[in-house]
């Protein structure tokens, strides 16, 4: 059940997007998030949507795979949309008890739906086309200047990449623990919120124990392989810009300008 | 109360590029008081197969009967089935969670909504059966040795008083001493408690020593089903599916090659020694 | 090579004692436990050494001393002449003695096979193009080159351990310690790992320390140490060790099937010699 969540996992294939420098993709994602937030007209959303469609198309990640990822957080989107739809004050066009739908509500709900969908698909493209280690290398390089003022950039990047490596393992483990406790007659489906939360203990305790055990094993393994933090380390795959990265930056600038022009 | 699997298929991630046919038309009957061994290469479908036996996984097609009833019928009580068919997963010690061993073992019977007295009586019996030293019963499960943790976890399933005990590689990672002790306990479950035991294992030696019947899985299909002797005499076929016969089979083969007319299908070293003695002395 | 290094042992432990404090749930010390008790072993360059023993016998604790992950409470551990207790030696020791652990999942750091193999050389500060060469070479030696772009999560246990070994090889060590590296594997995975270890010993002349509780894995070793309760209780060639059936039984270590069979036949009055290690040897003994 948990192993079905594909959101944020690297999808291995060959594409221009996979070959791009991680820094370009990080900057691009950052810019895209901003543009999606400043979008306030349907035209702007259409441009943002078209841009995303273009990016997904050149990523060679199957659309079905992307949408499967979205399914995992569909509840969140539906909840937010419903919240805005029913609870925004304004000109009432439909009412039932405390629930009412307003003109403004519909507008905000649609904007929210578009915004969230674009945001989530947009950011997941980043992780789908970039290996965790590339991603952290990119982050480390972009945030590098902050290291000088005492921000532990390397450590944070290393922690992130390790977390990403262990997410699928821990997901699988969770699935196994749930099954094992179910085989011992545990019930995770009935009862009120409080009992249900209490019923999670037989899952959470073993999961934490296992995560700590793995962490201590891993720390030892890293030490055995001469890891001593970021100082003095070299890179197997250092980042350097190619022509295509320049082209990508140009496209990004053009896209951002278009959105800004439409919005203002 | 036999478990019957009729043409069971199980497909993971159906309809995606990750689609895997984990079980392919498997039919199998497990009779009362049998000791059945299941062997197969990693990924052959063994673990998927045993998770069907207590209804944790639902077949994509086909049916599973326990005591003559289809366990996926709408009104079938699958919770009570889980008490009757106890399933011990690989590395079961990773599911321990309570502050002490005894309370952890109580978890299963408590879920069956039994009285407190009955729950504790069962936990007591189960821990005794698994031979866990009494001074460890009230210590934290995480203070036990690996072998003891394993036994405490199995006791947690035994405390539900299952009629069938299904174990997925219960000896994985244990040293020879821990392994022998555990297998002896399991074998006593069958002889003394009248339980049916289904054992998934990689060790051909264990299969040959304990199992009445061995089932061989390959790529989701059940490919062989017979007594250990019958199965291991087909060791050439076993090798083709990345399995092997017990070491003693290969010794006998080598001796035959050297010109001694010894039988191939011996169960263990003792039988091998007898057979060689007959020829030489 | 400097003359004084001739005939020197690559690994030398001198009366090593390792003690740790056992604590109760509140963290108060309860008692001092002795995990290693007067352990002296020596290993020459290029040897294949096996250390046998049950869980809790101290064999893994000893292994961690060889890589400066643990330090002796008393006594000395010398690796290539360097005392592991001296601080500047730690990294030099870890460079020379690589370590492969039991759980394949918990020692792979990279999310892609080749990136994991590159982790060690990166830590050593090796220049980029040389890391690439080392990674490719190590993966080829371990026959995992075809998997270099795979995620470790989709590999079998034996393959994961081979990736872990490649990760160690890429650091160009002189010795590899396999700390129960086969304990969690299926029989096929075990064979893969043992085969790889033997090949590294034969072809590359790598010193191998194999720590295991499987008796059938040690028959190729040059020298075997058997441990129990923190002490080395037996020591010798596999043939010498396996000839002492009674002592091994007392330690509840199981002889390989061939050796057990040979011993049974001998007791029945059939003239076979002690310490038979392979089916071929038994056949020869019986037929002649």
């Amino acid at each position: 059940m948990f192993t079905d969540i594909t959101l944020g996992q690297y999808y291995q294939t060959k594409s221009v997007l996979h070959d791009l420098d991680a820094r370009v993709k990080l900057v691009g994602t950052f810019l895209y998030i901003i543009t999606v937030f400043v979008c306030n007209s349907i035209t702007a959303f259409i441009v943002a949507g078209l841009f995303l469609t273009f990016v997904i198309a050149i990523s060679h990640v199957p659309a079905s795979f992307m949408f499967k990822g979205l399914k995992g957080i569909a509840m969140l989107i539906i909840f937010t949309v419903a919240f805005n739809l029913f609870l925004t004050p304004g000109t009432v066009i439909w009412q039932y008890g405390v629930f009412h739908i307003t003109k403004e509500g519909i507008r905000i709900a649609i904007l929210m739906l578009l915004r969230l969908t674009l945001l989530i698909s947009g950011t997941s493209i980043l992780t789908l086309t970039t290996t965790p280690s590339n991603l952290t290398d990119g982050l480390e390089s972009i945030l590098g200047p902050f290291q000088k003022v005492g921000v532990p950039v390397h450590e944070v990047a290393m922690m992130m990449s390790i977390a990403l490596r262990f997410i699928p393992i821990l997901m699988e483990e969770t699935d196994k623990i749930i099954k094992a406790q179910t085989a011992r007659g545990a019930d995770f489906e009935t009862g009120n919120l409080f009992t249900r939360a209490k019923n999670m203990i037989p899952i959470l305790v073993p999961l934490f124990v296992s995560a700590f055990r793995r962490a201590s094993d891993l720390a030892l393994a890293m030490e055995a392989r001469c890891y001593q933090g970021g100082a003095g380390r070299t890179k197997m795959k250092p980042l350097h810009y190619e022509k295509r990265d320049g082209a990508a930056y140009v496209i990004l600038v053009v896209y951002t300008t278009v959105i800004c022009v439409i919005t203002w | 109360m036999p478990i019957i699997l009729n043409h069971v298929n199980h497909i993971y991630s159906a309809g995606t590029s990750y689609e895997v046919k984990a079980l392919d038309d498997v039919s199998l009957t497990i009779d009362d008081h049998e000791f059945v061994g299941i062997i197969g290469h990693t990924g052959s479908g063994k673990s998927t197969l045993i998770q069907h036996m207590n209804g944790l996984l639902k077949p994509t097609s086909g049916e599973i009967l326990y005591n003559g009833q289809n366990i996926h019928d709408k009104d079938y009580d699958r919770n009570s089935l889980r008490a009757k068919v106890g399933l011990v997963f690989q590395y079961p010690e990773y599911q321990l969670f309570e502050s002490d061993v005894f309370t952890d073992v109580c978890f299963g019977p408590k879920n069956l909504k039994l009285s407190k007295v009955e729950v504790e009586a069962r936990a007591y019996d189960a821990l005794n059966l698994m031979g866990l030293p009494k001074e460890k019963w009230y210590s934290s499960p995480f203070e036990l040795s690996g072998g003891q943790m394993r036994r405490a976890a199995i006791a947690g399933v035994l405390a539900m008083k299952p009629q069938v005990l299904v174990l997925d590689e219960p000896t994985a990672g244990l040293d020879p001493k821990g392994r022998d002790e555990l297998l002896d306990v399991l074998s006593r479950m069958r002889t003394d408690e009248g339980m049916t035991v289904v054992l998934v294992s990689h060790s051909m030696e264990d299969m040959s020593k304990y199992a009445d019947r061995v089932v061989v899985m390959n790529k989701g299909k059940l490919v062989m089903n017979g007594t250990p002797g019958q199965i291991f005499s087909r060791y050439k076929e076993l090798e083709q599916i990345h399995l092997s016969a017990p070491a003693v089979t290969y010794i006998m083969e080598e001796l035959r090659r050297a010109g001694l007319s010894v039988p191939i299908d011996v169960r263990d070293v003792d039988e091998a020694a007898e057979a060689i003695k007959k020829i030489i002395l | 090579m400097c003359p004084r290094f001739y005939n020197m042992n690559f690994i030398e432990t001198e009366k090593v004692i390792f003690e740790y404090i056992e604590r109760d749930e509140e963290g108060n010390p309860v008692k001092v436990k002795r995990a290693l008790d007067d352990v002296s072993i020596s290993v020459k360059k290029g040897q294949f050494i096996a250390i046998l023993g049950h869980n809790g016998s101290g064999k893994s604790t000893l292994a961690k001393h060889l890589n400066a992950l643990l330090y002796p409470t008393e006594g000395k551990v010398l690796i290539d002449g360097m005392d592991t207790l001296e601080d500047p030696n730690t990294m030099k020791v870890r460079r020379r003695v690589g370590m492969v652990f039991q759980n394949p999942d918990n020692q792979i750091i990279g999310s892609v096979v080749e990136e994991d193999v590159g982790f060690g050389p990166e830590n050593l500060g090796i220049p980029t193009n040389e890391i690439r060469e080392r990674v490719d070479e190590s993966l080829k030696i371990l026959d995992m080159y075809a998997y270099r772009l795979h995620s470790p999560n989709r590999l079998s246990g034996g393959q994961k351990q081979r990736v872990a070994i490649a990760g160690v090889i890429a650091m160009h060590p002189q010795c590899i310690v396999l700390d129960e590296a086969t304990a969690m594997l299926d029989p096929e995975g075990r064979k893969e790992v043992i085969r790889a270890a033997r090949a590294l010993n034969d072809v590359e002349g790598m010193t191998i320390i194999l720590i295991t509780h499987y008796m059938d894995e040690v028959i190729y070793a040059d020298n075997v140490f058997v441990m129990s309760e923190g002490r080395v209780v037996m020591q010798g060639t596999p043939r010498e060790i396996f000839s002492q059936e009674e002592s091994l039984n007392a330690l509840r270590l199981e002889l390989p099937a061939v050796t057990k069979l040979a011993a049974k036949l001998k007791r029945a009055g059939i003239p076979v010699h002690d310490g038979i290690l392979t089916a071929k040897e038994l056949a020869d003994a019986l037929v002649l």
Side-chain angles (χ1 to χ4, degrees):
Chain A
M1 49 186 102
F2 277 98
T3 41
D4 281 347
I5 296 176
T6 50
L7 185 76
Q9 271 188 49
Y10 179 63
Y11 186 90
Q12 198 195 322
T13 180
K14 279 233 164 287
S15 82
V16 195
L17 215 56
H18 283 74
D19 288 341
L20 276 186
D21 191 293
R23 288 170 293 184
V24 182
K25 287 187 267 187
L26 276 163
V27 171
T29 309
F30 184 66
L31 282 177
Y32 191 72
I33 291 172
I34 294 175
T35 59
V36 168
F37 271 111
V38 300
C39 275
N40 57 2
S41 67
I42 293 298
T43 329
F45 273 113
I46 289 173
V47 175
L50 282 176
F51 181 70
L52 185 65
T53 318
F54 162 73
V55 172
I56 293 175
I58 61 166
S59 75
H60 292 184
V61 177
S64 60
F65 192 83
M66 288 232 29
F67 289 121
K68 240 183 81 195
L70 272 179
K71 233 166 53 187
I73 41 167
M75 272 314 287
L76 181 81
I77 299 180
I78 292 168
F79 189 74
T80 321
V81 168
F83 197 80
N84 281 294
L85 188 61
F86 292 116
L87 298 175
T88 313
T91 329
V92 177
I93 45 174
W94 179 85
Q95 188 156 17
Y96 181 84
V98 286
F99 295 105
H100 54 83
I101 295 179
T102 62
K103 220 173 135 190
E104 291 78 0
I106 293 177
R107 195 185 124 82
I108 295 181
I110 291 172
L111 283 185
M112 267 301 170
L113 176 67
L114 289 172
R115 214 164 256 168
L116 280 176
T117 316
L118 290 181
L119 264 185
I120 293 161
S121 335
T123 39
S124 65
I125 272 290
L126 172 70
T127 46
L128 282 166
T129 62
T130 320
T131 63
S133 48
N134 262 329
L135 196 64
T136 43
D137 280 355
L139 258 186
E140 205 180 333
S141 158
I142 287 177
L143 302 178
F146 293 101
Q147 185 100 42
K148 290 197 183 71
V149 293
V151 181
V153 175
H154 168 77
E155 284 72 11
V156 171
M158 182 56 89
M159 266 159 56
M160 272 183 54
S161 73
I162 288 173
L164 283 168
R165 147 127 177 83
F166 277 88
I167 283 171
I169 294 177
L170 289 175
M171 289 283 189
E172 217 169 278
E173 187 133 306
T174 311
D175 194 35
K176 221 183 99 184
I177 296 171
I178 291 177
K179 276 184 181 162
Q181 305 297 27
T182 311
R184 288 166 82 189
D187 178 9
F188 304 113
E189 270 128 41
T190 55
N192 60 30
L193 205 62
F194 180 71
T195 22
R196 279 206 207 188
K198 219 182 100 200
N199 289 350
M200 296 296 279
I201 292 173
I203 301 172
L204 293 178
V205 173
L207 196 61
F208 277 119
V209 170
S210 149
F212 281 120
R213 193 190 54 244
R214 288 183 191 280
S216 97
D217 280 5
L218 193 70
L220 201 65
M222 288 170 74
E223 228 183 296
R225 280 161 79 180
C226 294
Y227 180 72
Q228 302 178 85
R233 279 194 100 215
T234 45
K235 295 262 178 221
M236 177 183 176
K237 296 173 179 171
L239 299 168
H240 50 85
Y241 285 122
E242 309 261 342
K243 272 198 188 121
R244 57 168 175 262
D245 298 308
Y249 273 128
V250 172
I251 295 174
L252 274 172
V253 170
V254 171
Y255 160 75
T256 315
T257 322
V258 170
I259 291 282
C260 290
V261 169
I262 296 173
T263 316
W264 278 291
Chain B
M1 271 151 273
I3 301 176
I4 300 170
L5 287 88
N6 262 335
H7 303 286
V8 170
N9 286 286
H10 192 92
I11 300 169
Y12 284 114
S13 314
T16 70
S17 54
Y18 291 118
E19 184 173 305
V20 187
K21 198 159 196 185
L23 290 182
D24 189 352
D25 196 30
V26 173
S27 294
L28 172 68
T29 302
I30 289 161
D31 283 317
D32 285 355
H33 315 304
E34 259 196 308
F35 197 125
V36 179
I38 302 179
I39 60 175
H41 184 236
T42 306
S44 60
K46 298 169 297 186
S47 295
T48 309
L49 175 66
I50 59 168
Q51 287 178 42
H52 279 82
M53 291 180 182
N54 72 344
L56 270 181
L57 288 178
K58 198 179 172 198
T60 312
S61 68
E63 54 177 12
I64 295 141
L65 306 175
Y66 181 74
N67 200 14
Q69 282 176 293
N70 186 330
I71 64 167
H72 290 287
D73 274 350
K74 265 207 187 85
D75 49 356
Y76 191 86
D77 181 4
R78 269 187 301 282
N79 278 339
S80 75
L81 173 71
R82 280 173 197 148
K84 286 175 197 141
V85 182
L87 181 56
V88 178
F89 278 84
Q90 215 178 349
Y91 299 103
E93 58 273 27
Y94 296 162
Q95 72 206 35
L96 297 168
F97 68 98
E98 284 286 5
S99 51
D100 67 271
V101 173
F102 191 82
T103 319
D104 200 279
V105 176
C106 286
F107 180 69
K110 221 160 73 188
N111 286 329
L112 300 177
K113 312 264 186 300
L114 301 167
S115 72
K116 191 165 183 269
V117 179
E118 176 67 14
V119 166
E120 290 184 354
R122 283 186 173 201
Y124 185 93
D125 287 347
L127 283 166
N128 258 339
L129 271 175
M130 290 311 298
L132 198 74
K134 274 217 173 68
E135 67 269 17
K136 301 281 182 191
W137 288 18
Y138 298 99
S139 45
S140 159
F142 306 109
E143 281 168 21
L144 306 185
S145 74
Q148 289 171 334
M149 269 167 96
R150 181 78 50 96
R151 276 188 272 167
I154 298 175
V157 174
L158 277 183
M160 297 174 80
K161 293 235 161 123
Q163 283 149 347
V164 182
L165 188 61
V166 185
L167 306 107
D168 193 355
E169 289 180 49
T171 57
L174 295 184
D175 59 24
K177 187 168 147 216
R179 191 192 67 210
D180 288 352
E181 285 170 357
L182 182 58
L183 287 171
D184 285 342
V185 171
L186 293 182
S187 154
R188 274 208 307 277
M189 292 296 150
R190 207 259 302 247
T191 49
D192 300 356
E193 309 289 315
M195 252 179 233
T196 307
V197 179
V198 178
L199 177 75
V200 174
S201 172
H202 280 304
S203 163
M204 302 302 156
E205 275 74 16
D206 295 349
M207 287 295 170
S208 142
K209 195 165 164 195
Y210 294 100
D212 305 321
R213 190 152 63 94
V214 176
V215 170
V216 184
M217 297 289 296
N218 183 42
K219 293 183 181 158
K221 285 198 174 75
L222 194 158
V223 289
M224 292 185 209
N225 186 351
T227 63
Q230 288 166 344
I231 300 288
F232 294 139
S233 59
R234 294 164 70 181
Y235 62 96
K236 293 277 182 219
E237 289 166 67
L238 288 175
E239 282 165 17
Q240 277 163 12
I241 56 175
H242 303 285
L243 295 169
S244 53
V248 69
T249 311
Y250 295 102
I251 300 171
M252 296 312 251
E253 190 196 21
E254 184 70 41
L255 296 183
R256 280 172 76 104
R257 212 176 295 143
L260 290 172
S261 52
V262 289
I264 289 265
D265 61 339
V266 292
R267 234 180 135 97
D268 52 29
V269 171
D270 292 323
E271 276 190 27
E274 288 310 314
I276 295 169
K277 271 191 259 171
K278 241 184 246 161
I279 288 165
I280 298 215
L281 294 180
Chain C
M1 199 189 269
C2 173
R4 77 186 162 93
F5 285 118
Y6 283 122
N7 293 326
M8 201 182 67
N9 288 317
F10 180 64
I11 294 174
E12 184 96 60
T13 75
E14 288 170 14
K15 295 183 186 300
V16 168
I17 291 174
F18 179 74
E19 287 174 337
Y20 63 96
I21 298 166
E22 202 177 60
R23 290 171 191 279
D24 65 9
E25 275 156 35
E26 281 88 46
N28 302 313
V30 181
K31 59 180 170 198
V32 175
K33 280 235 173 176
R34 190 167 275 204
L36 290 180
D37 190 2
D38 197 24
V39 173
S40 300
I41 66 165
S42 51
V43 176
K44 288 197 170 57
K45 247 188 197 135
Q47 275 193 314
F48 192 119
I49 299 293
I51 302 179
L52 264 174
H54 277 300
N55 294 342
S57 62
K59 59 190 194 301
S60 279
T61 309
L62 177 60
K64 291 184 180 74
H65 277 78
L66 306 182
N67 188 272
L69 289 171
L70 290 175
Y71 307 97
T73 315
E74 274 173 52
K76 235 187 214 178
V77 176
L78 297 172
I79 305 294
D80 210 2
M82 292 179 293
D83 188 338
T84 58
L85 269 173
E86 283 167 28
D87 206 38
N89 290 340
T90 306
M91 283 303 141
K92 287 187 205 154
V93 166
R94 288 188 188 156
R95 264 181 111 127
R96 280 170 175 74
V97 182
M99 188 122 165
V100 180
F101 296 89
Q102 183 177 21
N103 190 325
D105 280 322
N106 298 357
Q107 57 185 315
I108 294 182
I109 294 124
S111 298
V112 178
V113 165
E114 62 173 18
E115 286 171 9
D116 183 70
V117 177
F119 179 78
E122 285 181 337
N123 291 335
L124 297 180
I126 308 291
T128 298
N129 47 0
E130 201 193 324
I131 296 182
R132 183 82 256 173
E133 278 166 29
R134 285 186 178 204
V135 167
D136 290 350
E137 174 200 53
S138 311
L139 283 169
K140 278 177 190 156
I141 292 175
L142 271 299
D143 208 9
M144 286 300 291
Y145 187 68
Y147 294 90
R148 66 190 181 282
L149 296 175
H150 283 234
S151 155
N153 292 332
R154 297 209 173 247
L155 302 179
S156 74
Q159 290 173 330
K160 283 181 199 167
Q161 289 299 57
R162 271 149 65 201
V163 171
I165 298 176
V168 167
I169 300 284
M171 295 171 73
H172 289 182
Q174 286 160 2
C175 171
I176 297 183
V177 179
L178 297 155
D179 185 7
E180 298 195 59
T182 57
M184 291 180 78
L185 304 182
D186 62 12
E188 217 186 11
R190 277 175 53 197
K191 268 185 226 153
E192 284 172 35
V193 171
I194 295 299
R195 210 180 297 136
R198 288 184 64 200
L200 284 172
N201 181 248
D202 280 351
V203 182
E204 317 278 323
M206 190 87 67
T207 312
I208 303 282
I209 315 261
L210 176 76
I211 294 174
T212 182
H213 52 234
Y214 291 112
M215 296 288 265
D216 52 343
E217 290 177 357
V218 312
I219 58 172
Y220 307 107
D222 298 315
N223 208 356
V224 181
F225 296 95
V226 182
M227 292 193 66
S228 176
E229 290 170 7
R231 292 173 154 271
V232 173
V233 289
M234 291 165 84
Q235 167 178 355
T237 62
R239 211 177 290 283
E240 287 162 3
I241 298 283
F242 289 165
S243 303
Q244 305 173 51
E245 199 192 358
E246 270 166 37
S247 318
L248 288 173
N249 281 343
L251 294 167
R252 292 206 62 173
L253 284 166
E254 201 168 85
L255 286 172
V258 186
T259 316
K260 215 156 78 180
L261 180 56
K264 265 194 207 312
L265 294 175
K266 191 181 175 196
R267 252 173 286 150
I270 298 172
V272 288
H273 53 88
D274 276 337
I276 281 186
L277 298 177
T278 63
K280 183 91 182 40
E281 286 176 21
L282 180 65
D284 290 346
L286 288 177
V287 173
L288 293 177

